[in-house]
Amino acid sequence: SQQGEEDPQALSIQEGENATMNCSYKTSINNLQWYRQNSGRGLVHLILIRSNEREKHSGRLRVTLDTSKKSSSLLITASRAADTASYFCATDLNRDDKIIFGKGTRLHILP
Amino acid sequence: EPEVTQTPSHQVTQMGQEVILRCVPISNHLYFYWYRQILGQKVEFLVSFYNNEISEKSEIFDDQFSVERPDGSNFTLKIRSTKLEDSAMYFCASILTGGVTEAFFGQGTRLTVV
């Protein structure tokens, strides 16, 4: 069964604006990670937030985690054209070590 | 910076042929994974490998699939008799330890079955 679900599925914003993507999941997790994938390329790890953390920052990225709502958000501030990519949340469950990806949000930054 | 490398980057094969996709995980990592992504779709878990054996596999990973770590550095995915629906990007990943660590992914092998 699918663990992570991102929304929106696609997002277009103007360069300089902030982009917010959300992820919901179904079962309890150890961690939640966000990955970026440029078209046709590999997955690049962006940030990991542990289940006992609520917020984490890395450069222009801000991730929040609400375990009571089983949801996370990824905020990219001051977006740039190079941020155009698909963004995936990935969760790893308490009982095993594999990580499960959501369907992703396709982010398009308009010049 | 250490990275996971995959070869080839693109493989075209005829339906029914066997293919072997190769990965070199990060050298001190202990957990290894294969994922696949059909064009435009989500990244799907295939199999995890730890301590020289499969620790978990998905329903996609049927008898046509196998994995091996033949020499302590390479990690291979074999598809015995490819089908058209096996066409996808295949990603290898490695993790240092189980639990709270990020997974490092290779750039993927695009498999096209014709």
Side-chain angles (χ1 to χ4, degrees):
Chain A
S1 65
Q2 192 165 290
Q3 171 69 338
E5 281 275 2
E6 292 91 339
D7 83 272
Q9 290 187 359
L11 178 64
S12 292
I13 60 171
Q14 293 293 137
E15 193 168 14
E17 293 181 341
N18 296 340
T20 299
M21 291 159 274
N22 303 297
C23 168
S24 59
Y25 56 91
K26 293 177 183 161
T27 60
S28 24
I29 58 171
N30 284 329
N31 320 287
L32 187 142
Q33 306 182 53
W34 285 91
Y35 285 82
R36 186 182 79 196
Q37 184 182 36
N38 288 71
S39 180
R41 304 297 301 275
L43 293 150
V44 176
H45 183 264
L46 294 176
I47 197 165
L48 179 152
I49 187 165
R50 299 168 196 254
S51 57
N52 62 353
E53 295 176 314
R54 292 296 164 257
E55 188 170 312
K56 205 159 181 181
H57 297 255
S58 176
R60 294 185 295 114
L61 305 181
R62 174 178 166 251
V63 168
T64 62
L65 179 64
D66 186 335
T67 52
S68 66
K69 294 181 179 176
K70 293 187 169 58
S71 67
S72 172
S73 67
L74 171 68
L75 168 68
I76 304 174
T77 59
S79 61
R80 304 169 183 167
D83 295 329
T84 293
S86 289
Y87 291 82
F88 296 88
C89 71
T91 52
D92 61 347
L93 308 182
N94 282 331
R95 63 181 181 274
D96 58 39
D97 294 313
K98 68 176 184 284
I99 59 176
I100 302 294
F101 287 83
K103 288 185 178 177
T105 293
R106 290 187 312 280
L107 176 65
H108 186 205
I109 308 300
L110 303 166
Chain B
E1 186 176 314
E3 59 180 14
V4 176
T5 56
Q6 288 185 243
T7 55
S9 56
H10 191 187
Q11 172 99 39
V12 181
T13 188
Q14 292 221 321
M15 191 168 57
Q17 295 294 305
E18 173 183 288
V19 293
I20 297 176
L21 309 182
R22 301 179 194 280
C23 169
V24 179
I26 295 173
S27 61
N28 60 338
H29 284 193
L30 300 177
Y31 290 78
F32 313 108
Y33 303 83
W34 283 100
Y35 287 79
R36 82 168 184 195
Q37 185 182 34
I38 294 171
L39 186 63
Q41 297 189 25
K42 63 184 291 188
V43 179
E44 300 173 292
F45 169 76
L46 292 179
V47 66
S48 57
F49 193 86
Y50 170 72
N51 202 25
N52 284 321
E53 60 183 23
I54 290 174
S55 50
E56 190 167 354
K57 59 185 180 180
S58 72
E59 60 267 19
I60 302 168
F61 194 89
D62 62 21
D63 292 344
Q64 293 300 309
F65 291 86
S66 62
V67 288
E68 227 181 14
R69 195 150 189 259
D71 57 12
S73 63
N74 291 287
F75 179 50
T76 62
L77 174 69
K78 183 193 290 187
I79 309 175
R80 270 182 261 284
S81 177
T82 50
K83 303 187 281 284
L84 294 176
E85 54 265 37
D86 293 327
S87 295
M89 282 286 282
Y90 288 80
F91 293 105
C92 172
S94 68
I95 291 179
L96 178 60
T97 61
V100 190
T101 53
E102 71 178 88
F104 289 80
F105 282 81
Q107 288 296 308
T109 292
R110 180 173 299 284
L111 176 65
T112 303
V113 182
V114 296

